[in-house]
Amino acid sequence: EVDLVESGGGLVKPGGSLRISCVASGFTFSKAWMSWVRQAPGKGLEWVGRIKTKSDGGTTDYAAPAKGRFTISRDDSKNTLYLQMNSLKTEDTAVYYCITTLGYWGQGTLVTVSS
Amino acid sequence: QTVVTQEPSLTVSPGGTVTLTCASSTGAVTSGCSPNWFQQKLGQAPRALIYSTNKKHSWTPARFSGSLLGGKAALTLSGVQPEDEAEYYCLLYCGGTQGVFGGGTKLTVL
């Protein structure tokens, strides 16, 4: 059974940093392109970025709001996806989901940016 | 910055058929945009329904189908069930690298 479990969310002050994680199981993580998607309270879905497999170059792509502040990485030995978020703004407050191109979603982790 | 547009809301009767569409500000949506469709019910995480325009996941009910229609991506529900009431989102990769979600369509079954 496929499972994606996000963790590391919480309350952080504007300008601060946070790293959230997503542990995957039930599929060959190293062969999956992985993405982060977020949803602000009461709003729609927003694509944050993705990372390809190492065999496809391991490259990353980001949406404009994330470029230069967020970094997606992966540790295939730990079946774990990461999202490092720096210079956080109040508008980054959202539930962050990790997803695979196989169609699976985690339950999300809430990141709140507030003073 | 690409903008992806969906109908804000649609209403359909149980047993009816409804088509949701997804348009890109950059021009016609093609298979190269790799359209994806997701369903989100109130208080739940989204669930993937369709990928690569018209491919279904193993859990996608047969009444859901994806296509390209008039320069847009389309999601058609045939024989709508009450449990299909939800928000539906499309995701396009028309630029090849960045994904963009549509604003979502709230589907009411009434």
Side-chain angles (χ1 to χ4, degrees), chain A residues 68-107:
Chain A
R69 298 189 301 128
F70 293 4
T71 302
I72 298 173
S73 61
R74 62 191 301 157
D75 186 338
D76 291 345
S77 69
K78 295 181 179 179
N79 286 356
T80 302
L81 177 73
Y82 300 101
L83 178 63
Q84 175 69 45
M85 300 180 285
N86 299 328
S87 303
L88 282 161
K89 307 174 182 180
T90 55
E91 52 263 40
D92 294 319
T93 294
V95 174
Y96 285 74
Y97 297 100
C98 71
I99 72 172
T100 86
T101 49
L102 302 174
Y104 297 100
W105 288 63
Q107 285 303 304

Side-chain angles (χ1 to χ4, degrees), chain A residues 39 45 47 50 62 67 102-103, chain B residues 40 48 57 93 96 98-99 101:
Chain A
Q39 187 169 35
L45 301 175
W47 188 85
R50 73 177 173 193
Y62 298 95
K67 206 170 289 189
L102 302 174
Chain B
Q40 187 176 32
H57 293 284
Y93 291 90
Q98 291 183 351
F101 277 99

Side-chain angles (χ1 to χ4, degrees), chain A residues 23-43:
Chain A
V23 177
S25 59
F27 65 100
T28 306
F29 180 77
S30 62
K31 293 186 177 180
W33 291 21
M34 300 295 297
S35 299
W36 286 100
V37 171
R38 68 184 182 181
Q39 187 169 35
K43 302 296 185 183

Side-chain angles (χ1 to χ4, degrees), chain B residues 59-84:
Chain B
W59 55 80
T60 303
R63 61 184 180 273
F64 290 85
S65 63
S67 64
L68 297 176
L69 201 62
K72 301 179 184 180
L75 176 71
T76 299
L77 288 70
S78 305
V80 172
Q81 302 295 308
E83 61 264 30
D84 297 333

Side-chain angles (χ1 to χ4, degrees), chain A residues 101-103, chain B residues 34-37 48-58:
Chain A
T101 49
L102 302 174
Chain B
S34 191
N36 285 253
W37 289 93
L49 293 173
I50 300 287
Y51 64 101
S52 297
T53 305
N54 56 12
K55 295 181 173 55
K56 300 180 186 183
H57 293 284
S58 59

Side-chain angles (χ1 to χ4, degrees), chain A residues 7 9 40 53 57 67 111 113-114:
Chain A
S7 63
T53 61
K67 206 170 289 189
V111 173
V113 184
S114 174

